[in-house]
Amino acid sequence: MKDHQVIGNDKLQGIAVSPGIIIGKARLVDRSREKIVYQYLIDDSEISKEVERFKEALDATKEQIVTLKNRMSDQIKEHAFILDTHLMIIDDSMITDSTINTILDQKINAEWALKKSVRKIRQLFEKIDYEYIRDRINDVENVAERILRNLSGKEMESLFEIDERVIIVAHDLSPADTSELNTSKVMGFITDVGGRTSHTAIMAQALKIPAVVGLESVTSLIQDGTLIIVDGYIGEVIIGPDDDTIIAYQEKEIQHERYRSSILQLSHLPSETVDGHKIAIKANIEFIEEVVAAKEYGAEGIGLYRTEFHYLQKKKIPDEEELFEAYKEVVEKISPAPVTIRTLDLGGDKILSNNESPGEANPALGLRSIRLCLKERDIFKSQLRAILRASAYGQIRLMFPMISGLQELLDAKQILKEVMDELEKENVKYDRDIKVGIMIEVPSAVTLADVLAKHVDFFSIGTNDLIQYALAIDRVNEHVAYLYEPYHPAVIRMIRQVVKVAKEADIDVSLCGEMAGDPLCVSILVGIGIDELSMNAGGVPLLKKIIRSISREEAMADLQDILALNTAKEVRQFIEKRIEPLMPDLQEKDFYMKVSIDKSTH
Amino acid sequence: MEQIKRLKINNDLGLHGRAAARIVELAGQYSSRLFFKKEDHEVDGSSILSILTLACPKGTEIQAKAVGEDSAELMDRLTELFKQRFGEQK
């Protein structure tokens, strides 16, 4: 077995935004936005020349952008409007007239005058309440940067002209920059800044080249021509790898290719045990973009759509319309398969302003999740309205998190009913028969499952939180993290109890959380009789593979033995003996696990 | 010649970059000058950045003013553009 651990090579961790592994030479591209511009006074006699110089820079910039636009490949043609907008900005009176007037009035150089115009525009934009309008300031700054380059006579190096196979290393790449990339030459790119949902990330996925962003200071650590490895699966960059590391990564990529082709063969086969028992495998997602991967990996729907992103992304609560659009897009993309949407599952400190936020000693046990929603009803109602409205466009199941007892559930359902009545009055379409369920993640809900089951259509066992609350350990706390143990006999008994109650009440029961994607846990869960598992999309194919190779009858027999075991260690050993023969290559397992666990958040 | 009309923004995204670009594009085809006014704030309708600074979400009504020889035709096409939600689906 090859050791994937890298020793003696500099390894940087960033955010993986477009998958694949590439090994190649770094090409540093200077796209720094921090250019120093000096102010100097212009003699009266030279003023008209200075204006001319500015106008020439504008023309040169326009010409470059038109050239770029004409060279755009068909793959990214749909993004051409960005460049059209840039052309309009160059011609905009707030750039042209304003800068020229400043040169004339204050007798200063064009660079400084342009900076002043941009500053004025930025001040106006900062006051705009709507992020998607406010963010256009980035385009203005991008255009200004190009004009400045032309003023200094130093033409921006065109990414299009790169003619050897390289990996682009830059502080940031604008959409315009990305559109220039000649993908037959550029193997991929890495940047200091950027996030998972940045435009640059989306372009990289569209271009199907590996990319890692958010590496902070990679441009100062890498020199032009350095050999680097970019791992777009997990967001790693290795600078100056040695031969062993190169071979290890080449093997990893080959494995991944092999894995991908095996997925394509497997992903559309039914997920059923050798004795014909069906287990639905679904994907957990957080972003709309993940729906495509979920389908590609063969998920039979979205078992958990986490909705926190929209609340965290900005400093304010998203409005109903924005949420509706997002939910609608997800439901339409996955349709006819169903999506289970979990209502807001956040701590109060994340969304309330400082003086509203209670400042809790123990936030995990505090005002959060459904408790917060029941207190901040307007926030909750607006999300419920968005979910219900989206339910007109496909199959949505609604799920409340962190229910600890019946009263909370009844209160939440009462608010849901009020929202339904409102929509009814307004004649807004929604699915009147929408299935409503709860997460089982608080130990009291396990004990009370028979009572709760009478009021819901389904249970989803959230093992991440359930294990934490049941075993009283904070897995982020390094001193006790070792106690976080999915194989703990108490955890297995709790899951079994919930499933048993759900079956008796004849409601659906699924399991989401990392345990669902753990290949070693599958046979326990199948033995317990779970109907549905939901996990990170990357884990779906392996789980399907394992389910297709075990028998439910045997799993049920094993469960009896497992229930007789007293410690997590014994359970783990027992199960490893069972599952390992199904995965002849343990390295394969490690790799799958890494891919599937990589993205688990919250 | 001067045309004044109140126009409503019907697309979901409001007067965002692409919608503003459509307006500027249209204004560029006419010799008349175009202005938009929201509350007391009046801006040049040929400047995409100025239009954006009006910060108009869906449902906002703004006043459009076209001044010049072909202002009637410009206003007709502008009205149509607003009605068509700037060519956006929703």
Side-chain angles (χ1 to χ4, degrees):
Chain A
M1 190 172 128
K2 196 83 216 162
D3 188 3
H4 281 197
Q5 231 20 63
V6 181
I7 299 152
N9 305 288
D10 279 332
K11 192 194 274 189
L12 301 175
Q13 184 66 49
I15 304 163
V17 292
S18 189
I21 288 173
I22 40 174
I23 302 168
K25 262 202 286 184
R27 166 60 81 76
L28 250 94
V29 180
D30 181 10
R31 283 290 189 276
S32 155
R33 303 275 140 86
E34 307 293 322
K35 251 186 112 224
I36 300 165
V37 170
Y38 297 99
Q39 177 186 5
Y40 52 92
L41 292 173
I42 307 286
D43 280 350
D44 279 352
S45 58
E46 302 285 313
I47 286 284
S48 59
K49 263 199 208 155
E50 190 65 11
V51 171
E52 251 343 280
R53 190 168 77 88
F54 177 63
K55 285 183 177 166
E56 279 164 16
L58 290 180
D59 289 341
T61 312
K62 269 193 271 185
E63 222 170 274
Q64 289 155 6
I65 292 186
V66 169
T67 312
L68 273 182
K69 209 183 117 187
N70 294 337
R71 280 168 171 176
M72 272 179 124
S73 64
D74 290 341
Q75 235 174 331
I76 50 174
K77 263 269 152 38
E78 56 178 307
H79 299 275
F81 78 91
I82 299 169
L83 298 183
D84 284 329
T85 312
H86 285 193
L87 287 172
M88 276 183 191
I89 293 172
I90 299 173
D91 271 336
D92 200 294
S93 55
M94 288 176 88
I95 295 280
T96 54
D97 296 357
S98 150
T99 307
I100 292 170
N101 288 337
T102 309
I103 298 172
L104 293 173
D105 294 348
Q106 303 183 11
K107 306 188 194 326
I108 55 172
N109 58 322
E111 288 89 346
W112 196 258
L114 175 62
K115 279 262 172 186
K116 284 191 153 195
S117 303
V118 172
R119 194 185 313 144
K120 220 183 303 167
I121 298 168
R122 192 189 305 116
Q123 283 165 353
L124 287 170
F125 271 68
E126 275 166 0
K127 290 190 201 128
I128 299 173
D129 283 337
Y130 310 95
E131 191 188 29
Y132 56 93
I133 298 178
R134 190 171 62 230
D135 278 356
R136 297 276 68 77
I137 190 65
N138 296 333
D139 294 304
V140 176
E141 285 179 347
N142 204 286
V143 165
E145 176 71 21
R146 279 184 185 272
I147 300 171
L148 281 175
R149 292 254 175 186
N150 283 310
L151 278 171
S152 69
K154 186 171 138 197
E155 203 182 310
M156 212 151 169
E157 178 189 15
S158 173
L159 299 185
F160 190 82
E161 274 143 31
I162 288 174
D163 56 359
E164 52 175 346
R165 304 262 304 150
V166 289
I167 300 168
I168 301 289
V169 181
H171 176 68
D172 190 13
L173 288 172
S174 67
D177 291 334
T178 327
S179 71
E180 263 183 85
L181 297 177
N182 177 348
T183 49
S184 65
K185 300 292 181 198
V186 172
M187 303 164 73
F189 61 78
I190 57 178
T191 60
D192 289 340
V193 298
R196 212 189 282 279
T197 52
S198 60
H199 201 102
T200 311
I202 292 161
M203 290 288 265
Q205 287 156 20
L207 291 166
K208 294 200 164 68
I209 57 175
V212 174
V213 303
L215 286 155
E216 289 174 6
S217 55
V218 68
T219 45
S220 57
L221 296 169
I222 293 183
Q223 276 157 6
D224 209 58
T226 312
L227 189 67
I228 57 173
I229 299 176
V230 176
D231 184 339
Y233 297 112
I234 58 173
E236 273 175 9
V237 173
I238 319 279
I239 305 172
D242 55 32
D243 289 350
D244 285 350
T245 310
I246 292 174
I247 291 166
Y249 274 84
Q250 280 170 341
E251 277 182 10
K252 187 176 171 186
E253 180 60 358
I254 291 166
Q255 273 181 32
H256 211 275
E257 282 303 318
R258 202 184 295 148
Y259 177 53
R260 281 188 67 84
S261 55
S262 75
I263 286 170
L264 292 177
Q265 291 164 6
L266 250 178
S267 63
H268 299 290
L269 292 173
S271 160
E272 60 182 28
T273 57
V274 290
D275 47 353
H277 189 79
K278 282 200 170 56
I279 312 280
I281 298 193
K282 296 185 181 174
N284 298 345
I285 65 160
E286 189 170 3
F287 307 114
I288 296 168
E289 291 78 9
E290 292 177 286
V291 176
V292 177
K295 279 167 117 173
E296 188 184 308
Y297 284 124
E300 297 162 47
I302 304 301
L304 171 63
Y305 176 22
R306 303 182 173 105
T307 58
E308 290 69 41
F309 172 68
H310 285 96
Y311 296 81
L312 294 171
Q313 181 193 25
K314 304 171 191 172
K315 288 185 192 87
K316 59 179 184 184
I317 308 290
D319 61 26
E320 178 189 326
E321 217 46 46
E322 183 188 340
L323 296 174
F324 165 66
E325 285 301 328
Y327 302 161
K328 178 168 169 259
E329 197 177 338
V330 169
V331 74
E332 283 179 340
K333 273 195 175 152
I334 196 74
S335 193
V339 50
T340 302
I341 303 184
R342 180 181 70 186
T343 60
L344 189 58
D345 188 23
L346 269 186
D349 57 320
K350 296 275 175 26
I351 56 168
L352 299 175
S353 65
N354 283 339
N355 38 13
E356 288 172 64
S357 170
E360 298 167 307
N362 214 335
L365 306 178
L367 181 63
R368 50 173 301 143
S369 193
I370 193 72
R371 303 164 183 181
L372 181 70
C373 288
L374 291 174
K375 183 162 180 281
E376 301 292 332
R377 297 202 171 195
D378 290 343
I379 296 176
F380 192 35
K381 276 191 168 175
S382 120
Q383 185 182 31
L384 291 176
R385 278 182 66 98
I387 295 173
L388 286 173
R389 284 172 60 199
S391 72
Y393 297 86
Q395 211 189 323
I396 289 184
R397 307 200 309 166
L398 178 68
M399 176 160 75
F400 300 124
M402 219 195 168
I403 295 288
S404 67
L406 182 60
Q407 194 57 52
E408 266 169 342
L409 171 59
L410 295 178
D411 289 349
K413 283 184 74 176
Q414 174 60 34
I415 294 175
L416 178 66
K417 189 175 173 298
E418 286 168 27
V419 172
M420 283 178 162
D421 291 345
E422 269 174 41
L423 293 176
E424 206 75 53
K425 256 186 230 145
E426 294 165 27
N427 253 327
V428 178
K429 271 194 293 181
Y430 70 94
D431 175 8
R432 289 187 178 78
D433 301 318
I434 190 166
K435 296 267 185 283
V436 178
I438 54 172
M439 294 276 286
I440 301 285
E441 53 188 340
V442 181
S444 59
V446 175
T447 313
L448 271 185
D450 57 325
V451 175
L452 298 170
K454 295 192 184 98
H455 300 271
V456 293
D457 300 308
F458 66 93
F459 284 158
S460 183
I461 307 172
T463 47
N464 294 8
D465 278 347
L466 181 61
I467 296 170
Q468 292 206 80
Y469 290 131
L471 305 182
I473 43 101
D474 175 3
R475 55 191 296 210
V476 188
N477 179 337
E478 55 183 313
H479 304 295
V480 293
Y482 73 97
L483 289 170
Y484 181 91
E485 186 51 89
Y487 307 98
H488 198 294
V491 173
I492 294 170
R493 285 179 198 206
M494 286 175 119
I495 294 172
R496 180 165 172 261
Q497 187 186 341
V498 174
V499 172
K500 196 166 155 256
V501 166
K503 299 263 159 177
E504 281 163 11
D506 198 23
I507 63 170
D508 288 342
V509 58
S510 60
L511 191 142
C512 57
E514 275 160 38
M515 204 171 164
D518 181 346
L520 294 182
C521 286
V522 198
S523 82
I524 303 179
L525 298 173
V526 169
I528 285 175
I530 208 109
D531 305 318
E532 176 185 321
L533 298 170
S534 191
M535 65 209 69
N536 291 318
V540 168
L542 177 64
L543 259 282
K544 212 175 236 189
K545 185 173 162 186
I546 294 174
I547 285 176
R548 290 179 59 81
S549 56
I550 59 177
S551 122
R552 185 174 181 237
E553 207 175 315
E554 273 172 36
M556 287 170 81
D558 279 351
L559 182 69
Q560 292 313 313
D561 295 338
I562 290 167
L563 289 172
L565 302 172
N566 297 320
T567 67
K569 197 177 162 197
E570 286 167 17
V571 174
R572 183 186 286 269
Q573 283 166 349
F574 181 94
I575 214 69
E576 270 175 0
K577 251 184 249 150
R578 275 284 185 277
I579 296 297
E580 267 168 26
L582 301 175
M583 291 190 290
D585 193 350
L586 253 189
Q587 180 192 358
E588 181 189 38
K589 187 202 87 179
D590 288 344
F591 179 67
Y592 294 141
M593 291 298 288
K594 202 162 185 189
V595 170
S596 66
I597 285 173
D598 152 47
K599 286 176 73 187
S600 4
T601 46
H602 331 296
Chain B
M1 290 231 283
E2 188 176 290
Q3 305 279 330
I4 294 186
K5 200 165 182 180
R6 287 195 74 76
L7 297 171
K8 193 174 174 188
I9 292 145
N10 295 314
N11 62 322
D12 280 358
L13 289 174
L15 263 189
H16 66 125
R18 224 193 290 204
R22 296 287 296 263
I23 295 172
V24 173
E25 202 182 352
L26 178 68
Q29 297 166 21
Y30 292 84
S31 64
S32 294
R33 302 210 55 193
L34 181 64
F35 302 91
F36 291 105
K37 194 169 166 183
K38 182 184 147 194
E39 285 138 29
D40 289 336
H41 188 33
E42 189 175 62
V43 301
D44 176 0
S46 66
S47 156
I48 182 170
L49 299 175
S50 304
I51 297 175
L52 290 174
T53 61
L54 286 178
C56 298
K58 184 183 186 177
T60 315
E61 270 196 27
I62 55 174
Q63 188 195 70
K65 183 171 82 180
V67 187
E69 289 208 345
D70 49 10
S71 58
E73 198 190 328
L74 170 56
M75 191 56 85
D76 283 348
R77 289 194 51 200
L78 187 69
T79 311
E80 192 55 26
L81 186 61
F82 271 70
K83 227 197 226 139
Q84 302 292 329
R85 295 184 297 266
F86 312 104
E88 285 160 31
Q89 292 201 340
K90 52 207 175 178

